[in-house]
Amino acid sequence: MNIVVLISGSGSNLQAIMDACTGGQIAGRVVGVLSNRADAYGLVRAAGAGIATAVIAHRDYDNREAFDAAMQQQIDAWQPDVVVLAGFMRILTSGFVRHYEGRLLNIHPSLLPHYKGLHTHRRVLAAGDRLHGCSVHYVNAELDGGPAIVQGVVTVHPRDDEQTLTEKVHKVEHRLYPLVLSWMASGRLVYREGKPLIDGDGAAGPVKLLF
Ligand code: GAR
């Protein structure tokens, strides 16, 4: 399975995916890493692993359509089976999303559909929630929308602050993305009629794993 990863920053999820490929957990390989920011540390991680990288800066384009078209051209040149958003912080056009329908994944640091958008950990703490986590989902044109495949659930302790919660959820993300990609590579996870099916079953909604 050819994996293309889109990043905007640190790329710790990218690192987890690269490690899972080299370690044999995912029957696939990362064939390209694209960033909209030239200073994203994930580019250093990818280059260090001998993986092709590209920078397509959104600021160089007049509008989202032109930016997405440039990205699509680069991504398609890498011939991906799956395109993985890993901390990629741009909103995508519906044309781009449609082009990759069923092979475009995102990870989001909340139990979707709760807390779409930014500052999820802060908002969870402000609301006094006892449970939090992250979701891997297929991407549709709605921001942080699209059907969730797997959710990693953590408990929020009274002593947690934004930093401890961020770290806790990040650790879970690093296990969740490789798991979902391993299922995709082995054929356990498929996309049918807009929904994820795991081992042929999709009726119960996302798989919830407690950490
Ligand atoms: C991750 O926590 C990911 O869930 C979040 O950005 C971080 C990237 O970390 N993504 C979103 O908020 C998308 N809406 P990383 O660069 O170290 O992988």
Side-chain angles (χ1 to χ4, degrees):
M1 184 171 76
N2 283 351
I3 305 167
V4 165
V5 184
L6 270 57
I7 59 166
S8 299
S10 153
S12 68
N13 278 287
L14 163 69
Q15 186 71 58
I17 292 166
M18 292 190 309
D19 292 348
C21 289
T22 50
Q25 187 195 350
I26 301 171
R29 63 193 185 112
V30 179
V31 293
V33 172
L34 187 154
S35 174
N36 63 311
R37 298 180 55 115
D39 62 354
Y41 182 64
L43 292 168
V44 177
R45 298 179 191 267
I51 292 167
T53 62
V55 175
I56 297 185
H58 57 279
R59 292 217 169 80
D60 292 345
Y61 296 85
D62 289 339
N63 53 56
R64 287 189 196 282
E65 283 72 22
F67 172 59
D68 282 8
M71 286 204 298
Q72 192 173 309
Q73 195 175 24
Q74 173 60 73
I75 293 167
D76 286 349
W78 283 323
Q79 301 188 310
D81 297 301
V82 57
V83 178
V84 171
L85 307 179
F88 183 73
M89 304 307 266
R90 302 297 302 168
I91 292 171
L92 298 163
T93 58
S94 53
F96 181 95
V97 170
R98 254 198 318 275
H99 180 73
Y100 296 107
E101 187 185 347
R103 52 190 180 123
L104 183 59
L105 299 181
N106 183 40
I107 194 158
H108 183 74
S110 78
L111 298 174
L112 291 171
H114 303 292
Y115 303 108
K116 296 176 178 181
L118 299 173
H119 309 303
T120 58
H121 312 297
R122 196 182 304 171
R123 287 152 66 205
V124 161
L125 287 168
D129 292 357
R130 304 291 301 276
L131 295 177
H132 184 34
C134 50
S135 309
V136 176
H137 65 96
Y138 284 109
V139 175
N140 65 12
E142 186 196 339
L143 176 71
D144 298 322
I149 303 161
V150 181
Q151 297 186 311
V153 182
V154 300
T155 48
V156 182
H157 292 299
R159 278 197 305 275
D160 270 325
D161 57 23
E162 198 175 346
Q163 195 188 335
T164 61
L165 209 49
T166 303
E167 283 165 11
K168 213 190 268 187
V169 172
H170 239 139
K171 271 198 196 132
V172 175
E173 291 188 8
H174 300 159
R175 294 178 59 183
L176 224 56
Y177 235 157
L179 181 69
V180 169
L181 289 165
S182 75
W183 288 347
M184 200 178 236
S186 68
R188 285 187 70 181
L189 167 66
V190 295
Y191 180 84
R192 192 154 309 146
E193 289 162 10
K195 292 207 180 82
L197 290 185
I198 299 170
D199 296 333
D201 188 5
V207 172
K208 289 191 170 67
L209 301 174
L210 281 175
F211 287 87

